[in-house]
Amino acid sequence: MEHSFVMQCIADPKPSARRYPTVEKRAKVFNGTSYVPIPEDGPFLKSLLFELRLLDEDRDFMESRDSCSRINKTSVYGLKVGGEELWPVVAFLKNGIVYACVPLVEQTLSPRPALISISAISQGFELLFGIQDFLYSSQKIDTELNTKLSQLPDLLLQACPFGTLLDANLQNSLDSISFASVTHPQKQPAWKAGTYKGKPQVSIAITEKVKSMQYDKQDIADTWQVVGTVTCKCDLEGIMPNVTISLSLPTNGSPLQDILVHPCVTSLDSAILTSSSIDAMDDSAFSGPYKFPFTPPLESFNLCYYTSQVPVPPILGFYQMKEEEVQLKITVNLKLHESVKNNFKFCEAHIPFYNRGPITHVEYKVSFGQLEVFREKSLLIWIIGQKFPKSMEISLSGTVTFGAKSHEKQPFDHICIGGTAYLKLHFRILDYTLTGCYADQHSVQVFASGKPKISTHRKLISSDYYIWNSKAPAPVTYGSLLL
């Protein structure tokens, strides 16, 4: 590992950093003429926050960073430093803290090698996830977090001496300084840098994100899709503990498809692997239980991903925007499907007007919830709350008047006029999944010392849930929103 650091917050970025000069010397040898030195923490941090779009002054669209050709799905970035690009940089934001490291690439960087061929990237993720788990395990107050941050430099000396990762579980290093010298009679796998010591527990979380494009038009079909992620954290003693988790569906549940599993999964039923969303749905589709036997890594990990073709979207919507001189007349109708759990953590409808001046006047009638007006942002937020009424239907209508537009602060956006005007729903439902998928804690099998505590959680989250203006011609359907 060539360089790693953790910063405490975005507002006051004072990074806790650790550099490894011996690894940087090796990088010069391996990378040759393509070697880019790591800058000081200040410039490195500024470039990283810019790339992650975490600086207030850099949130406008920039071709070099925000174009479609730069879509990043891997959390691996290239940072502009001194006219050159530092790559690869592993970085992600979690709980208000940015975690980052620069892995060692043991070859030239030109041409750029494939990520899968760089083993240090996997180790970099393992280290950062280990730091994340250490900082937030049993953390209740800020003073505990500050204490753990102060312990990081000493723990990294034990867990990652000279830049070589030995143990991603920093709690082990804290409990036993001599842990690195301990030998095990059973062979330690190369991908698992250490072992866990403590109270055994297994945590399983199922998160489903529902995406939707609704037009309310006869010539264009509405689309929706569910994408699920099963995340696990297994704190189990022993070098190679074995766990089997079963995902189940209710009688009327929607079968899981396009299932992708973590490399630690040891075997799978062929019916799981062959279930695809490309095939037409029929009664013979495999509906579980979906069993995943695996040997867990130390850090939190995504056990599997899946998609599902649910019969209807959870909320059906209608949005109409009509321009009348200097005013806009809007009408919104929303209906919660009767099969969906009517108990939200939050539910909001955002109606943006980016291509106009600030809102000067709003007259409206709302059947449920309340409307908040963000005048300078030209945005309406309809706060629906935690429940729909018994009728499951709500409506909003009104007129919006705008002032003069400031061209400096409000750049023109082609996505929010006429047929591309939209309403976006934001909601979250706890202890619920749209497919009905759940993990029965009594069916979890653990082959390790001690009886673990097993906890399961579920939630449904909206993601790219758009209702387009039905008054104008249908906008272009952006297929990437439903991938």
Side-chain angles (χ1 to χ4, degrees):
M1 198 61 51
E2 185 169 309
H3 173 91
S4 62
F5 71 86
V6 181
M7 73 190 70
Q8 196 162 348
C9 64
I10 304 304
D12 183 23
K14 297 179 180 178
S16 173
R18 181 73 187 179
R19 290 176 177 266
Y20 298 98
T22 54
V23 181
E24 294 190 35
K25 291 181 180 179
R26 293 172 60 200
K28 290 181 181 180
V29 176
F30 284 121
N31 301 160
T33 57
S34 60
Y35 169 75
V36 177
I38 297 176
E40 294 299 319
D41 290 346
F44 180 93
L45 178 57
K46 184 176 180 181
S47 180
L48 177 62
L49 295 182
F50 170 80
E51 190 68 27
L52 297 178
R53 300 194 70 181
L54 295 175
L55 295 176
D56 291 336
E57 63 269 23
D58 292 326
R59 294 198 174 185
D60 292 336
F61 177 85
M62 299 192 67
E63 182 74 21
S64 62
R65 178 192 61 191
D66 303 320
S67 68
C68 291
S69 62
R70 289 290 307 278
I71 295 177
N72 190 301
K73 298 181 180 180
T74 61
S75 296
V76 179
Y77 301 89
L79 304 186
K80 301 295 183 182
V81 289
E84 297 180 296
E85 185 178 51
L86 177 63
W87 182 92
V89 177
V90 175
F92 58 86
L93 174 67
K94 190 71 173 179
N95 296 322
I97 295 181
V98 174
Y99 301 81
C101 68
V102 182
L104 171 66
V105 181
E106 297 180 334
Q107 63 187 88
T108 181
L109 299 177
S110 181
R112 183 172 290 183
L115 293 181
I116 197 171
S117 67
I118 306 173
S119 61
I121 288 182
S122 299
Q123 295 180 0
F125 276 111
E126 187 175 9
L127 173 63
L128 296 181
F129 287 143
I131 294 175
Q132 174 193 323
D133 290 339
F134 170 73
L135 292 180
Y136 282 91
S137 61
S138 304
Q139 181 242 324
K140 298 179 180 179
I141 55 177
D142 290 342
T143 54
E144 292 184 26
L145 177 60
N146 292 332
T147 300
K148 290 188 175 183
L149 283 170
S150 66
Q151 294 171 338
L152 275 181
D154 291 336
L155 294 180
L156 286 175
L157 283 175
Q158 302 296 324
C160 195
F162 301 103
T164 300
L165 181 61
L166 298 180
D167 187 359
N169 190 332
L170 300 189
Q171 188 64 42
N172 287 347
S173 299
L174 186 63
D175 294 340
S176 176
I177 294 298
S178 61
F179 173 78
S181 63
V182 175
T183 59
H184 303 278
Q186 187 178 356
K187 185 177 180 181
Q188 185 89 352
W191 54 265
K192 193 169 185 179
T195 58
Y196 172 78
K197 293 182 179 181
K199 187 177 180 180
Q201 51 189 353
V202 176
S203 176
I204 308 165
I206 303 175
T207 301
E208 288 189 351
K209 294 184 178 181
V210 57
K211 306 180 181 184
S212 182
M213 294 284 186
Q214 300 181 31
Y215 306 98
D216 194 46
K217 295 179 180 293
Q218 294 183 351
D219 57 341
I220 182 169
D222 295 345
T223 59
W224 59 90
Q225 183 186 46
V226 172
V227 179
T229 305
V230 181
T231 304
C232 296
K233 179 70 167 70
C234 300
D235 294 329
L236 302 171
E237 293 189 345
I239 297 175
M240 295 286 284
N242 292 310
V243 180
T244 298
I245 290 177
S246 296
L247 303 181
S248 302
L249 297 174
T251 304
N252 59 345
S254 300
L256 310 185
Q257 300 171 320
D258 306 323
I259 297 175
L260 298 175
V261 299
H262 191 275
C264 72
V265 175
T266 54
S267 64
L268 276 180
D269 189 311
S270 59
I272 296 178
L273 294 174
T274 56
S275 180
S276 171
S277 58
I278 299 177
D279 302 328
M281 288 287 292
D282 55 44
D283 294 336
S284 64
F286 182 68
S287 57
Y290 305 84
K291 292 188 177 182
F292 302 91
F294 60 94
T295 299
L298 294 173
E299 71 278 0
S300 299
F301 69 101
N302 295 326
L303 176 65
C304 70
Y305 302 90
Y306 62 84
T307 66
S308 184
Q309 301 177 39
V310 294
V312 292
I315 299 177
L316 292 170
F318 167 84
Y319 174 46
Q320 188 177 87
M321 184 186 77
K322 183 179 180 182
E323 190 161 2
E324 297 179 351
E325 298 180 353
V326 296
Q327 292 182 331
L328 289 180
K329 185 176 181 180
I330 63 171
T331 302
V332 181
N333 296 320
L334 299 176
K335 181 179 180 180
L336 180 68
H337 194 268
E338 59 185 8
S339 65
V340 177
K341 181 180 179 180
N342 189 12
N343 189 2
F344 295 80
K345 184 176 183 180
F346 64 86
C347 184
E348 299 176 351
H350 291 208
I351 309 175
F353 307 99
Y354 293 134
N355 298 296
R356 303 176 186 275
I359 297 174
T360 57
H361 184 67
V362 179
E363 292 185 3
Y364 67 93
K365 181 180 179 181
V366 61
S367 67
F368 193 79
Q370 61 187 43
L371 188 70
E372 291 192 357
V373 181
F374 294 82
R375 300 182 183 277
E376 294 302 321
K377 294 183 178 181
S378 300
L379 173 68
L380 300 181
I381 297 183
W382 182 9
I383 300 177
I384 299 166
Q386 296 181 330
K387 284 183 179 291
F388 273 62
K390 291 183 178 180
S391 65
M392 300 295 186
E393 298 184 25
I394 56 178
S395 62
L396 165 67
S397 60
T399 58
V400 186
T401 307
F402 301 88
K405 178 184 175 184
S406 172
H407 293 279
E408 295 181 358
K409 294 185 178 180
Q410 293 177 305
F412 187 79
D413 189 342
H414 291 279
I415 202 67
C416 291
I417 59 173
T420 60
Y422 64 83
L423 172 152
K424 186 175 183 182
L425 284 174
H426 300 260
F427 58 84
R428 177 172 297 186
I429 307 177
L430 301 182
D431 195 27
Y432 176 79
T433 53
L434 202 56
T435 62
C437 180
Y438 66 95
D440 184 359
Q441 61 182 6
H442 299 293
S443 67
V444 177
Q445 297 177 320
V446 178
F447 303 94
S449 60
K451 184 177 180 180
K453 176 184 177 183
I454 299 174
S455 59
T456 61
H457 309 276
R458 299 190 300 169
K459 61 184 174 183
L460 175 68
I461 302 174
S462 63
S463 173
D464 298 330
Y465 205 104
Y466 292 94
I467 301 172
W468 297 91
N469 179 19
S470 65
K471 188 68 177 176
V476 176
T477 301
Y478 295 91
S480 62
L481 292 176
L482 294 177
L483 291 178

